[in-house]
Amino acid sequence: MISCAPPCWTLATRPEWGPFLHTLRRDDKLNYCQDILCSQLAAAYLRRCPSSCRQYNSTLVTEIFLLGFQNFQSIKNFFFILMLLTYCVTVFGNLLIILVVSYSQSLHSPMYFFVTQLSFSDILLTTTIVPNMLRVVLYDGSYVSFIGCLTQFYCFSATESIECLLLTVMSYDRYQAICNPLHYVSVINITFCVTTIFLSWLFVLFVILIISVTINHLTFCGPNIIDHFFCDFDPILELSCSDPFIVKMESRLIAVPLVICPFVVIIISYVYIIFTILKIPSVTGRQKTFSTCSSHLAVVSLYYGSLISIYLLPNMNNAKKILSLFYNVVTPLLNPMIYSLRNKDIKQALERILQQMSNKFHMC
C-alpha cells in the first residue's frame, strides 16, 4: 500500500487537520481512515506539484481502496440487503430465460438464441460487479489488489462490450425478419449465429486485453483511493503517476467498433424497420410486427440511455455512481423481465414447463 510522502505529511499537520487526526488515533475502528486521509492529501499535493511528490514517494501501489457509497451510511444494511436480493433475482431470472429457451423446441430460433447469449452476458456482468460491491457496502469500503482491480476492469469491459455487439446483432436479426422475411432463413441460420457469437467474443476479449496490458504498464505510485464501487476505466487512470495518453487514445479508437458503430447500425436498422412497419396496411398487422422487436428496443433504450448519460455527466461523481449502478445492476435485472413479460412465446413456453412440472409432481 502507498506510503505518505513527506510534503503530504506537512499538509496533514496543519492545524485544521489536528483534531481529526487525533480522533482517528483514539478510535481503532477508524484506523483505515488514516490511510484514506493520507492518500487524499497525497492526491491534492500531486495535483499541485507532481514531480516533487514523486521524488518523495516511489512506493508502487499494490492495493486499491474502493470507497463505495459513502452517502449511504445511514441505510447501509437496507442497501446491502436490496443489492443482495437484486443480484439473486438477476441471476435466477437470466438463468430461467436460458433454461426456458433451451428446453422449449418452439423457441429454438435465432432470435431466442441471441436472447440466451444476452442473458449469459448479464449474469457475467452482474457477477463481476455485485459480489465485490456487497463487500464494499458492508465494510464501508474495501481493499482490492491491483491485479484484482485490473481483472475486474477487464471482465467488466468485456461483458459491456459484448452486450453492445449482441444488441447490434439482435437488431440486424429483427431487420432481416421484418424487412427481408423471404431471405431470413437463408441469411440468419445456425452457422451465422454461432460464428457471430464466437467472433464477437474473440474480438472483444482481444481488444480489451490490449487496453488492460497498456494500463498494467503504467506507473501507479499513489494515491490508492478510488471513489467508486468498482474498478472503472477513468478512476484507475486517475491513480497513474505516468502519462495515460496512449491508453486514452486506445480507448477512443476501440470505442469506434465496440460502441459507436454498433449504435449506428442499431439506429439504421430501426429506421428501416419503422418504415417497413408503416407500410403495412392494417393496424393489427403493424402492432403484431412491432411486438416482435419491442422488447429488444426497450433493452437498447435502457442500455444506451444509461451509458450515454454517464458521459454527459463527467464531473458529477455521485450521479455517475448511480448511473453505473443502474446499467451494471438494474439493467441486467430488467432484461429478463422485459423479455418474459412482453414476449408471448416465452410466457407460453414457461407456462407449459410449469404445467408439465406440476403434472409430474401430482403423479408422484
Side-chain angles (χ1 to χ4, degrees), residues 1 36 42 49 70 96 122 147 152 158 175-176 254 262 307 325:
M1 189 185 67
I36 297 175
C49 49
Q70 297 298 310
L96 185 63
D122 281 337
I147 297 300
Q152 186 185 50
Y175 161 78
Q176 288 291 343
I254 291 173
L307 194 63
L325 187 70

Side-chain angles (χ1 to χ4, degrees), residues 297-315:
L297 187 59
V299 172
V300 169
S301 302
L302 281 173
Y303 180 81
Y304 276 100
S306 56
L307 194 63
I308 293 172
S309 299
I310 288 180
Y311 291 99
L312 293 179
L313 301 170
N315 298 319

Side-chain angles (χ1 to χ4, degrees), residues 13 72 75 144 146 177 196 238 262 267 272 288 306 326:
T13 54
F72 290 1
I75 57 171
V144 61
F146 177 77
T196 302
E238 290 174 1
I267 295 297
Y272 278 99
K288 184 178 180 179
S306 56
F326 184 84

Side-chain angles (χ1 to χ4, degrees), residues 312-324:
L312 293 179
L313 301 170
N315 298 319
M316 301 176 64
N317 288 333
N318 290 331
K320 290 181 71 173
K321 284 184 186 179
I322 298 300
L323 289 171
S324 296

Side-chain angles (χ1 to χ4, degrees), residues 344-357:
K344 293 182 179 180
D345 294 334
I346 290 183
K347 285 195 294 185
Q348 291 174 357
L350 181 59
E351 289 174 358
R352 286 196 299 269
I353 293 174
L354 294 176
Q355 184 63 40
Q356 291 175 4
M357 292 177 63

Side-chain angles (χ1 to χ4, degrees), residues 166-301:
L166 278 173
L167 292 174
T168 306
V169 176
M170 292 171 74
S171 68
Y172 178 71
D173 170 78
R174 291 298 85 206
Y175 161 78
Q176 288 291 343
I178 295 173
C179 300
N180 299 305
L182 298 179
H183 299 91
Y184 177 76
V185 177
S186 59
V187 175
I188 311 295
N189 51 37
I190 186 63
T191 303
F192 171 83
C193 295
V194 174
T195 304
T196 302
I197 296 301
F198 176 76
L199 293 178
S200 296
W201 273 107
L202 193 65
F203 177 68
V204 164
L205 293 176
F206 176 72
V207 296
I208 300 301
L209 182 62
I210 293 175
I211 293 185
S212 300
V213 170
T214 309
I215 292 176
N216 190 49
H217 281 83
L218 296 176
T219 301
F220 293 88
C221 58
N224 68 331
I225 306 295
I226 288 182
D227 187 13
H228 214 325
F229 60 90
F230 74 102
C231 297
D232 205 353
F233 180 72
D234 288 333
I236 292 178
L237 292 189
E238 290 174 1
L239 305 184
S240 174
C241 299
S242 53
D243 188 3
F245 174 77
I246 296 177
V247 183
K248 290 183 178 180
M249 286 301 299
E250 286 180 351
S251 68
R252 290 186 177 96
L253 290 174
I254 291 173
V256 175
L258 289 183
V259 179
I260 298 175
C261 288
F263 184 68
V264 172
V265 171
I266 291 173
I267 295 297
I268 294 174
S269 298
Y270 272 99
V271 168
Y272 278 99
I273 288 172
I274 290 172
F275 277 116
T276 302
I277 291 175
L278 292 177
K279 293 178 182 178
I280 299 175
S282 65
V283 176
T284 305
R286 288 197 294 265
Q287 291 176 346
K288 184 178 180 179
T289 305
F290 182 75
S291 65
T292 62
C293 59
S294 59
S295 298
H296 176 260
L297 187 59
V299 172
V300 169
S301 302

